[in-house]
């Protein structure tokens, strides 16, 4: 099992450019999440999905869009990148049953710099 | 909305027991408490989860008092490899709808010295 993978690992964008971050999981998890991690801010939830075809806003959704067309994939899009979106982005997934409901499995992260 | 507060940093020595406390005064009835460990340039990794009282697994224990307004992660006999950032997470386990709330603390940077 590869677990949770993220593509790309690093990216540099210019202000106004767009890009899509891809997250894939092979654990058949229902829930998937996108976070950003900034120094001194901890982890903040951007968007999440409770199943294929569903998405919902998290704590800091502005400037981002997501799609979950397939159960194993969760895409995060930046339509017009801004320097404030410079961050490390983590994707996670979790099962929805039993005591491990809130155990999230994280990917290795994508380091994004917007100039 | 629950807010979690934890110490910014802690120092310890190899072989000692380390206790990291997280404060979550506004925890909701359905919220569980989960702790994660994160090494540089990696995603967080699950350590332990609990709802009330005490939970123990092969790597840690989690103590939750009756009022659930705080929790303490206990790492027995730490080693150099336990040097990492530890996060407290308070989350709504049962709400699978659009109001799912996952409140992360800002992390405690633990340094284990030889």
């Amino acid at each position: 099992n590869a677990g949770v993978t993220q593509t790309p690992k690093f990216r540099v964008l210019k202000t106004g450019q767009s890009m899509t971050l891809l997250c894939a999981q092979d654990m058949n998890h229902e829930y998937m999440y996108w976070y950003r991690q900034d120094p001194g801010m901890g982890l903040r939830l951007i968007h999440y999905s409770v199943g294929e075809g569903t998405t919902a806003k998290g704590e800091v959704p502005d400037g981002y869009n997501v799609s979950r067309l397939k159960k194993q994939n969760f895409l995060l899009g930046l339509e017009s990148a801004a320097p404030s979106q410079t961050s490390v982005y983590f994707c996670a997934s979790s099962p929805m049953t039993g005591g491990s409901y809130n155990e999230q499995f994280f990917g290795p992260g994508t380091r994004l710099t917007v100039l | 909305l629950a807010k979690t507060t934890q110490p910014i940093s802690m120092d310890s020595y190899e072989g000692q027991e380390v206790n990291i406390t997280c404060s979550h005064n506004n925890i909701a009835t359905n919220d569980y408490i989960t702790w994660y460990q994160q090494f540089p340039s990696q995603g967080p990794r699950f350590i332990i989860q609990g709802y009330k009282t005490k939970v123990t697994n092969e790597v840690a224990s989690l103590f939750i008092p009756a009022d659930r307004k705080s929790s303490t992660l206990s790492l027995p006999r730490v080693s150099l490899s336990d040097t990492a950032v530890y996060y407290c997470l308070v989350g709504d386990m049962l709400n699978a709808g659009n109001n799912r709330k996952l409140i992360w603390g800002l992390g405690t940077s633990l340094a284990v010295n030889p």
Side-chain angles (χ1 to χ4, degrees):
Chain A
N1 280 354
V4 178
T5 58
Q6 294 183 231
T7 309
K9 289 184 170 54
F10 304 93
R11 186 73 185 268
V12 178
L13 289 178
K14 294 182 179 179
T15 297
Q17 287 185 318
S18 63
M19 78 163 294
T20 300
L21 282 67
L22 170 64
C23 176
Q25 53 97 3
D26 60 3
M27 296 173 283
N28 201 36
H29 287 168
E30 292 293 331
Y31 285 27
M32 296 188 75
Y33 316 80
W34 274 108
Y35 290 95
R36 60 178 291 173
Q37 186 173 40
D38 304 291
M41 299 293 289
L43 283 147
R44 293 183 292 171
L45 183 64
I46 304 171
H47 286 282
Y48 64 96
S49 169
V50 301
E52 181 179 321
T54 72
T55 62
K57 295 180 180 180
E59 181 185 355
V60 289
D62 294 341
Y64 306 94
N65 57 74
V66 289
S67 64
R68 182 107 181 260
L69 298 180
K70 293 183 178 181
K71 185 177 183 178
Q72 64 268 32
N73 295 336
F74 196 28
L75 305 180
L76 178 70
L78 286 73
E79 291 185 348
S80 180
S84 61
Q85 294 178 305
T86 293
S87 186
V88 179
Y89 291 86
F90 286 102
C91 176
S93 70
S94 68
M96 64 175 292
T97 57
S100 61
Y101 182 85
N102 211 19
E103 177 180 352
Q104 298 172 67
F105 296 80
F106 283 81
T110 295
R111 185 174 296 276
L112 175 66
T113 301
V114 182
L115 303 176
Chain B
L1 188 63
K3 177 181 177 180
T4 60
T5 304
Q6 51 184 125
I8 295 174
S9 64
M10 296 182 69
D11 278 286
S12 184
Y13 292 93
E14 284 189 289
Q16 289 190 330
E17 178 183 77
V18 171
N19 296 309
I20 306 173
T21 297
C22 180
S23 171
H24 28 80
N25 290 324
N26 296 324
I27 189 169
T29 301
N30 293 335
D31 287 345
Y32 273 64
I33 301 153
T34 314
W35 284 81
Y36 287 82
Q37 176 192 56
Q38 186 178 29
F39 297 109
S41 301
Q42 294 185 24
R45 185 174 67 176
F46 175 89
I47 301 173
I48 196 166
Q49 180 183 81
Y51 183 80
K52 61 180 179 181
T53 63
K54 176 184 175 181
V55 179
T56 297
N57 62 21
E58 62 275 9
V59 299
S61 294
L62 178 59
F63 299 91
I64 305 169
D67 66 6
R68 304 202 325 123
K69 293 185 176 183
S70 66
S71 59
T72 299
L73 173 71
S74 181
L75 304 173
R77 299 179 298 283
V78 294
S79 64
L80 297 176
S81 63
D82 293 317
T83 293
V85 179
Y86 293 82
Y87 290 94
C88 168
L89 165 64
V90 174
D92 184 346
M93 296 285 292
L94 300 179
N95 185 351
N98 287 336
N99 292 319
R100 183 175 172 89
K101 297 295 188 293
L102 298 175
I103 308 301
W104 291 77
L106 298 184
T108 298
S109 180
L110 172 66
V112 179
N113 301 293

